[in-house]
């Protein structure tokens, strides 16, 4: 079988998909490129995904996927034994909500903060910095809301609060798709410094996720 | 059984969820409110979803969901007979990608366009208009990319191109979750006027979606 092909880059959102593929025990070929890189690999990525997003994942049958949250949902549904998503429908619904929340409210605000010149018609430097600052404030607020919604007890019990995916009562408490995406997307745009001040228990949970034996090897490659 | 409770408003994103609930033949109680409305229903929504997003859907077991794309995926998985998502894994993966794409790239740009004052630290009116204009340009570009990615043949054959959900060869060609979300989110921020000029075949497909007998009654209530 042709394995998966993952287009990604060190320190990027592809870390979450790499971890998911390893948990699902799926062989994959890694192509290292990014929109800020140059060369033939970037041309190949552009040919299959004009947005040049990473991660982009080519499935064994040739189907091209992008959008980290969608990729994690797909792998979770296809490989239930990996425990990326809960089996029980209501717990799974909560995870779908959390994954799309991160994609729509957090990941998208990181894009505004990273490329403020795309989000104002002004070419003035100060105007672009005003957009960057506001985007970071929006991003940080969205993470506070995320912590309160999806980890309501974490500030009281940061060392023992369950992971975010919530595999349900009776299941071994281990990280899953939501944990992977939250740990990666919170790496950027000052989110963790903000959480240290505003939601220290949630920051501790994110640190427990990235130190988990299933996650640590992937994160060590991306953020050595 | 306690039915679903859907918080929504006329002309809002709740239209897509209403249609999905009806296709899945699930009874639901509608609570009409929105962040721009006032009154006791808004207080109730704020109590279960501090972001006061509509649609917010309360599942029969009390689980609270938000994020239209996540709700559509959940209903699609739970009620396969409704045909909201394809049964075949690769076709389903493509739909997951399209749904998260709309949430992360289009819906989020509508939010910037609607509330530019949140996306610049400047309190200057002209600076906020610069953000609104750039957000609309980003939004429109994201729709062009969407059309090219998910409906590549539509400009050649606007009247016969298949619907977006792609239930797969052999299945009756009918709209599904992706069609519902695209038809609703494209209603806003000048998207359809832009598509009329830039992707007329894709606009014709969106119009076929909203005129489909499964969709038309819901759209007629929301956009009479």
């Amino acid at each position: 079988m042709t394995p998966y092909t993952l287009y990604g880059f060190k320190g990027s959102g592809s870390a979450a998909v790499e971890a998911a593929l390893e948990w699902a025990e799926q062989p994959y070929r890694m192509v290292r490129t990014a929109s800020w890189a140059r060369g033939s690999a970037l041309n190949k990525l552009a040919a299959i995904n004009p947005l040049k997003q990473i991660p982009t994942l080519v499935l064994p049958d040739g189907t091209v996927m992008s959008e980290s949250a969608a990729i994690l949902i797909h792998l979770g549904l296809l490989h239930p034994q990996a425990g990326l998503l809960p089996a029980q429908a209501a717990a799974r619904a909560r995870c779908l909500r959390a994954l799309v929340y991160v994609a729509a409210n957090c990941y998208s605000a990181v894009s505004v903060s990273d490329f403020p010149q795309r989000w104002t018609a002004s070419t003035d430097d100060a105007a672009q910095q005003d957009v960057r600052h506001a985007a970071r404030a929006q991003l940080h607020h969205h993470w506070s809301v995320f912590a309160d919604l999806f980890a309501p007890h974490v500030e009281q019990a940061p060392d023992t609060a369950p992971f975010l995916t919530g595999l349900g009562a009776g299941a071994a408490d281990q990280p899953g798709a939501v944990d992977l995406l939250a740990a990666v997307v919170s790496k950027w745009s000052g989110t963790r410094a903000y959480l240290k001040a505003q939601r220290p228990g949630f920051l501790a949970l994110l640190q427990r996720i990235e130190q988990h034996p299933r996650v640590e090897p992937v994160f060590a490659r991306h953020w050595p």
Side-chain angles (χ1 to χ4, degrees), chain A:
Chain A
M1 190 177 74
T2 313
Y4 288 87
T5 301
L6 175 61
Y7 290 81
F9 209 76
K10 199 170 140 172
S12 82
S14 58
V17 176
E18 265 182 67
L21 286 164
E22 295 192 4
W23 296 8
E25 298 180 349
Q26 295 301 305
Y28 64 97
R29 188 170 70 90
M30 186 82 218
V31 181
R32 294 194 190 281
T33 190
S35 56
W36 56 93
R38 285 177 186 281
S40 60
L42 183 63
N43 295 342
K44 264 186 226 165
L45 173 59
I48 57 165
N49 181 352
L51 288 178
K52 300 182 223 168
Q53 290 161 311
I54 52 166
T56 288
L57 182 68
V58 185
L59 308 186
D61 75 348
T63 301
V64 176
M65 280 200 84
S66 61
E67 306 299 339
S68 300
I71 294 172
L72 293 172
I73 295 168
H74 171 68
L75 293 174
L77 292 173
L78 202 61
H79 306 292
Q81 80 293 349
L84 291 162
L85 290 177
Q88 196 266 332
R92 189 178 64 199
R94 197 177 142 279
C95 287
L96 296 171
R97 180 190 183 191
L99 289 164
V100 177
Y101 179 102
V102 173
N105 300 292
C106 302
Y107 222 137
S108 62
V110 170
S111 291
V112 180
S113 165
D114 282 358
F115 304 104
Q117 69 277 14
R118 296 180 189 167
W119 295 91
T120 171
S122 170
T123 55
D124 183 62
D125 259 6
Q128 295 179 3
Q129 286 305 318
D130 281 343
V131 170
R132 187 192 300 273
H133 289 141
R136 286 167 72 107
Q138 284 291 316
L139 170 67
H140 298 162
H141 172 64
H142 290 155
W143 276 114
S144 285
V145 171
F146 181 94
D148 298 346
L149 275 177
F150 295 103
H153 307 303
V154 74
E155 298 304 326
Q156 278 74 53
D159 298 330
T160 55
F163 289 112
L164 295 166
T165 300
L167 296 171
D173 185 38
Q174 55 182 17
V178 180
D179 300 271
L180 287 173
L181 195 63
V184 167
V185 177
S186 64
K187 283 281 193 186
W188 306 322
S189 304
T191 295
R192 292 197 176 197
Y194 167 86
L195 291 173
K196 189 174 182 182
Q198 297 295 326
R199 293 292 187 283
F202 184 63
L203 177 64
L205 177 62
L206 293 172
Q207 288 165 336
R208 276 202 289 134
I209 294 166
E210 66 181 21
Q211 288 155 12
H212 190 278
R214 296 182 76 175
V215 184
E216 194 277 331
V218 176
F219 271 53
R221 292 204 298 271
H222 279 267
W223 293 279

